[in-house]
Amino acid sequence: MISHKVLLTALLLGASAFQFAATVPDEGMFPLSDLNRAGLKKAGLKISEKDIYNPGSIGLVDALVRVGGCSGSFVSGKGLIITNHHCAFSAVQLASTPQHNYLENGFVAQQQEQEIEAKGLTIRITDSYEDVSKQVLEAVKNISDPLQRIEVINQKRSELAKQAEQADPTIKAEVSEMFIGKSYVLFKYKTIEDVRLVYVPRQNIGEFGFETDNWVWPRHTGDYSFLRAYVAKDGSAAPYSKDNVPYEPKKHLKVNPNGVEENDFVFILGYPGRTFRHRPAQYIEYQEKFLLPYTSDLYDFENQRMEAAGKRDKAVELALATRIKRNANVLKNYRGKLKGLRNTNLIQSKMDDDAALAKFIDSKPELKSAYGTLMNDIEQHYNMVFADAPKELWMNNVYHGVKTFDIVSYFQSFQDALAQQTSPKAQQALYDQNIANFSKRIPELFEAYHLGVDQQIAAHLFAEGAKMQGANSLKFLQNTALAKGDTTGAWIAQLLGSSKLNNEASFRQIIASPASILGYKDDVLTLHRDLAKEYAQFTAEQKRREGALNKLMGDYVAVREQFMDKNFVPDANSTLRLTFGNIKGYSPADATYMHPFTSVKGLLEKGNSGLPEFGYPHKIKEAWLAKDFGSYLKKDMNDVPVNILYNMDTTGGNSGSPIMNAHGELIGVNFDRAYDATINDFAWNESYSRSIGVDIRFVLWVADKIDNAHFILKEMGVQ
């Protein structure tokens, strides 16, 4: 039944774009221009598909925004945006101090003048698109060298985006790869630079349950925040300024305070990040054997060190909060994926599919002529990937983990640029021209930096790196760390501590003049030059393989479409999509059933455990005991619903996506998946793929009864 199958719609796009086959898959992404073929009305949609998207007219898609790496939606005509608490987390962290801890205590701006700059956040609104597959693929039709192929593709994508921006300076352009090696779309975005915090619930609401409940159902988290978009008085995008005015969107969503019931039809619009469902068995095997366990274990190690440092100093705890949260989210997600891969035996299923595909190719002379070596070529490609996996993972994580190298790399780029000048006069001119912009990024480099943590992470990584041998050996360590044997960790920790670049104050002293920049030397700089050289060689090889894979995957998708007799829809790639389904529970294990609503009573019951992650504001208990539910009561529960569960197909980037009912009204905000659904990135299945949102009734109840944010309700037209 179609309502049990989640359909994704990509591309905020016109009818002339991708005309995929009308066959309805179990999951996938359809262009909005094909909504009339997706079965939305049969599934339960009460409005017209044109009310969602209609080229040349205003629709629900015009209320959608991308907030950093998340989604969000306008909920008033004055630029008010609702998204997730965790999507605004970094901006709240940057605005917080030990004296004004908005992370812990929340933030409510009763008047617009009290709203705080949301540093680091920008808003993107999809403006239009254009299919540019022909232009991109035409540029590489006669290129066989893999490295040259991927370089030309990326160059052409950049060139097309730049041309679009030159033609319309008010937009930002981006060419997105819809199918690897096969199709490309030029997206044009309006960007809003001035974003402000309006209402952020306190941490023990917005993060109730913390990591214990992350990716878990039942859930009781108020994962929501309100932001406001501002522009210059003429309506153009402008940096933060007191003179700016609230942005007036073309469309904003209507809030329905009555919520939904079990089995009700619902749909989501948003910007899902990445899925990898059109990849061969070897790709999944790489995930299970290498990437997922390595990354989750490393992030776990990093977080243990950062959390220990934060316990000794509140300022350090705040500085590292966003970094810890991001790591924790990824590591639990990756461990969920590992569980899902093992429980579903997805690798074997993919192997069986690929074996059937190989037989199909061999059975068709015209296919055998064109694709006869395809499956073997894919196998050989991944044999190389598997062989080099330890070095690849080390290289991909050394800059993520060791922040000192980010700082050193930034300094070296300026030092090298000055060294290339032929005279002191030319050096001074280059310095004067660039020092202001160079200095602007320094606070960002040091904001989540802690030398002691960095030394411990570096010691761990370098000790492991020194053990790698053969093709995976790190050549830049051969004459340094390897010669020191088991003391590699202590050696790198001491080295990082000896640099004067690891402190913002001394860093600024060193960049005070061209002469001091050029004259500065230390062992970390020397080590980093050797690391950077090997890293460059490594990335060149990765690009060569990426180019080879680009062609292989284009062919793989093309022949699979013939094999399955249908055109596929694209994997998620941070472009606008639609998914629909129903409010629905599930059975994740034998003899269990998970109901699709949680309640304030359940929140209080978790709080009775006494565990710190289940602490909550006392006003919640007071209001609940007094049965002060207002108009937000779910009658069959005799309680306020907190979170909801549904069988829509979501992934990272859908955080903050508006959940809408059959009439296109806002009834919740998506923020997570159930643990079993973390595997959605590789495969979707109605039996276990469930996503989690915060019920709009809980948002309104907390704003009304707990946080006294009545202005929010009035602005959204609820009161």
Side-chain angles (χ1 to χ4, degrees):
M1 184 173 174
I2 289 177
S3 62
H4 291 168
K5 299 176 181 180
V6 176
L7 307 175
L8 286 168
T9 346
L11 314 178
L12 182 166
L13 317 171
S16 64
F18 304 96
Q19 294 300 317
F20 295 111
T23 14
V24 178
D26 289 340
E27 43 76 26
M29 301 176 184
F30 280 74
L32 294 180
S33 57
D34 277 5
L35 282 184
N36 61 329
R37 298 198 249 171
L40 283 165
K41 299 291 286 187
K42 185 177 179 180
L45 182 71
K46 301 300 183 185
I47 58 176
S48 168
E49 291 95 338
K50 291 184 178 180
D51 291 326
I52 299 172
Y53 173 68
N54 188 13
S57 300
I58 295 173
L60 293 177
V61 293
D62 293 300
L64 265 290
V65 299
R66 188 174 178 191
V67 185
C70 295
S71 301
S73 56
F74 289 114
V75 287
S76 88
K78 297 179 180 179
L80 188 68
I81 294 167
I82 191 169
T83 186
N84 287 154
H85 180 276
H86 76 260
C87 296
F89 188 92
S90 61
V92 181
Q93 177 231 321
L94 289 174
S96 295
T97 64
Q99 294 75 33
H100 299 284
N101 192 338
Y102 300 126
L103 268 185
E104 184 176 329
N105 303 321
F107 174 76
V108 181
Q110 296 290 345
Q111 298 176 346
Q112 288 184 17
E113 293 77 13
Q114 297 173 336
E115 294 170 2
I116 298 174
E117 180 184 4
K119 293 180 180 178
L121 284 185
T122 57
I123 301 298
R124 289 209 314 185
I125 303 169
T126 303
D127 186 65
S128 63
Y129 82 100
E130 179 186 350
D131 179 7
V132 293
S133 302
K134 184 177 180 180
Q135 294 97 306
V136 173
L137 297 178
E138 185 74 17
V140 294
K141 68 177 183 179
N142 296 319
I143 296 176
S144 58
D145 178 71
L147 180 58
Q148 186 182 2
R149 176 185 171 83
I150 198 65
E151 287 178 343
V152 171
I153 284 176
N154 289 338
Q155 182 180 350
K156 190 65 178 179
R157 290 168 68 182
S158 178
E159 175 188 318
L160 291 169
K162 189 174 182 179
Q163 288 174 358
E165 291 174 356
Q166 289 173 341
D168 183 356
T170 69
I171 59 99
K172 294 291 183 183
E174 185 176 288
V175 175
S176 297
E177 186 174 61
M178 307 308 292
F179 281 114
I180 182 172
K182 184 184 177 187
S183 60
Y184 299 85
V185 174
L186 170 65
F187 285 91
K188 299 175 183 179
Y189 299 99
K190 297 289 187 183
T191 301
I192 296 176
E193 302 173 43
D194 187 352
V195 185
R196 304 184 195 180
L197 302 175
V198 178
Y199 167 36
V200 180
R202 62 201 80 188
Q203 196 167 16
N204 55 9
I205 292 177
E207 284 194 275
F208 180 84
F210 290 81
E211 286 310 311
T212 299
D213 269 10
N214 195 16
W215 305 102
V216 169
W217 184 265
R219 196 75 176 271
H220 301 81
T221 308
D223 197 347
Y224 67 88
S225 288
F226 288 88
L227 311 170
R228 196 181 305 277
Y230 281 79
V231 291
K233 290 180 180 179
D234 63 359
S236 63
Y240 174 84
S241 169
K242 291 182 179 180
D243 295 329
N244 288 347
V245 296
Y247 174 74
E248 297 181 6
K250 296 178 184 177
K251 178 78 174 178
H252 68 271
L253 301 182
K254 178 183 177 182
V255 175
N256 186 329
N258 299 316
V260 283
E261 300 295 332
E262 187 168 0
N263 295 317
D264 277 1
F265 170 87
V266 285
F267 69 99
I268 277 175
L269 288 164
Y271 291 85
R274 295 299 305 272
T275 55
F276 306 91
R277 296 170 184 172
H278 301 301
R279 299 296 179 98
Q282 295 91 336
Y283 176 84
I284 306 299
E285 187 177 359
Y286 171 78
Q287 299 290 317
E288 183 174 329
K289 289 184 177 179
F290 299 104
L291 178 69
L292 298 177
Y294 179 94
T295 307
S296 55
D297 288 348
L298 176 61
Y299 284 16
D300 197 356
F301 175 88
E302 291 179 1
N303 273 12
Q304 289 177 31
R305 272 57 190 174
M306 288 190 285
E307 286 166 358
K311 287 178 181 178
R312 295 188 291 269
D313 188 323
K314 190 68 177 179
V316 171
E317 179 186 346
L318 280 171
L320 298 176
T322 298
R323 196 173 156 194
I324 291 171
K325 186 175 179 65
R326 287 172 180 166
N327 274 8
N329 193 54
V330 170
L331 75 89
K332 195 166 186 180
N333 175 287
Y334 280 18
R335 286 174 177 168
K337 286 188 173 101
L338 280 171
K339 177 192 172 188
L341 289 174
R342 291 161 182 162
N343 286 352
T344 60
N345 200 16
L346 184 60
I347 293 175
Q348 187 59 53
S349 297
K350 286 277 190 179
M351 286 180 174
D352 293 343
D353 289 345
D354 287 347
L357 178 62
K359 288 183 179 180
F360 175 73
I361 293 171
D362 286 342
S363 71
K364 306 283 185 180
E366 68 279 10
L367 292 181
K368 190 171 183 178
S369 173
Y371 304 109
T373 65
L374 175 63
M375 302 311 288
N376 184 64
D377 291 343
I378 290 173
E379 178 74 17
Q380 294 304 313
H381 171 86
Y382 278 99
N383 283 343
M384 292 188 293
V385 171
F386 291 169
D388 294 348
K391 184 172 183 177
E392 176 194 7
L393 291 166
W394 194 95
M395 284 289 189
N396 284 343
N397 282 280
V398 66
Y399 282 95
H400 169 274
V402 187
K403 297 298 180 184
T404 300
F405 289 147
D406 271 339
I407 297 167
V408 169
S409 178
Y410 192 61
F411 174 81
Q412 275 185 339
S413 65
F414 202 12
Q415 188 181 59
D416 291 347
L418 290 171
Q420 291 173 11
Q421 302 306 305
T422 56
S423 68
K425 185 177 180 180
Q427 290 166 354
Q428 186 67 51
L430 182 66
Y431 177 88
D432 292 341
Q433 183 180 352
N434 291 279
I435 188 59
N437 287 332
F438 182 85
S439 298
K440 282 182 182 178
R441 196 183 163 218
I442 295 173
E444 176 190 336
L445 289 170
F446 284 94
E447 69 186 13
Y449 177 72
H450 184 275
L451 176 59
V453 167
D454 227 40
Q455 288 173 308
Q456 293 177 70
I457 294 172
H460 173 77
L461 278 168
F462 275 69
E464 291 299 310
K467 296 175 185 176
M468 296 193 298
Q469 299 178 356
N472 286 295
S473 64
L474 300 170
K475 296 179 177 59
F476 80 98
L477 281 180
Q478 292 296 316
N479 299 320
T480 53
L482 285 180
K484 302 177 186 302
D486 294 336
T487 64
T488 300
W491 165 78
I492 188 64
Q494 183 179 9
L495 204 68
L496 297 188
S498 68
S499 176
K500 292 183 179 179
L501 297 175
N502 62 32
N503 178 279
E504 184 172 355
S506 57
F507 186 99
R508 289 188 179 279
Q509 288 178 354
I510 293 167
I511 65 166
S513 70
S516 60
I517 292 174
L518 289 167
Y520 183 75
K521 297 178 181 179
D522 69 25
D523 290 338
V524 179
L525 278 174
T526 303
L527 176 70
H528 181 261
R529 288 194 188 280
D530 293 337
L531 166 61
K533 183 178 180 180
E534 189 163 348
Y535 186 83
Q537 294 169 346
F538 160 78
T539 52
E541 173 60 16
Q542 293 303 105
K543 283 184 179 180
R544 189 196 69 78
R545 290 184 185 174
E546 183 185 348
L549 186 65
N550 184 278
K551 179 66 167 63
L552 290 173
M553 288 301 97
D555 291 346
Y556 180 73
V557 170
V559 74
R560 281 190 74 232
E561 287 179 328
Q562 294 185 53
F563 174 51
M564 299 182 73
D565 194 26
K566 67 179 181 183
N567 289 347
F568 298 136
V569 288
D571 270 318
N573 63 348
S574 298
T575 55
L576 187 60
R577 313 289 171 115
L578 180 147
T579 174
F580 69 83
N582 302 87
I583 302 295
K584 193 172 182 182
Y586 77 122
S587 296
D590 186 38
T592 64
Y593 179 74
M594 295 292 187
H595 292 274
F597 291 94
T598 58
S599 65
V600 176
K601 179 184 176 183
L603 183 154
L604 298 177
E605 288 172 347
K606 283 184 176 178
N608 290 337
S609 68
L611 296 173
E613 62 266 37
F614 296 125
Y616 57 82
H618 188 65
K619 287 181 70 174
I620 286 183
K621 188 171 185 178
E622 289 178 348
W624 187 84
L625 288 173
K627 303 302 178 186
D628 187 10
F629 301 141
S631 59
Y632 317 113
L633 178 72
K634 190 175 187 298
K635 291 182 180 179
D636 62 343
M637 294 172 60
N638 194 31
D639 207 338
V640 176
V642 178
N643 291 157
I644 47 180
L645 196 68
Y646 35 87
N647 64 353
M648 289 189 281
D649 192 353
T650 69
T651 189
N654 274 125
S655 291
S657 290
I659 310 167
M660 288 169 274
N661 63 14
H663 299 281
E665 299 166 331
L666 183 72
I667 55 85
V669 183
N670 181 77
F671 69 87
D672 208 352
R673 283 170 280 166
Y675 198 59
D676 301 276
T678 53
I679 199 177
N680 276 12
D681 293 354
F682 309 132
W684 181 91
N685 188 295
E686 201 279 335
S687 66
Y688 60 75
S689 291
R690 292 293 183 275
S691 297
I692 303 170
V694 57
D695 195 301
I696 198 65
R697 288 168 286 193
F698 184 66
V699 176
L700 300 175
W701 184 71
V702 173
D704 188 359
K705 306 295 183 179
I706 310 303
D707 288 336
N708 296 317
H710 304 114
F711 71 96
I712 284 283
L713 281 67
K714 292 178 181 178
E715 185 169 341
M716 293 190 298
V718 176
Q719 283 188 349

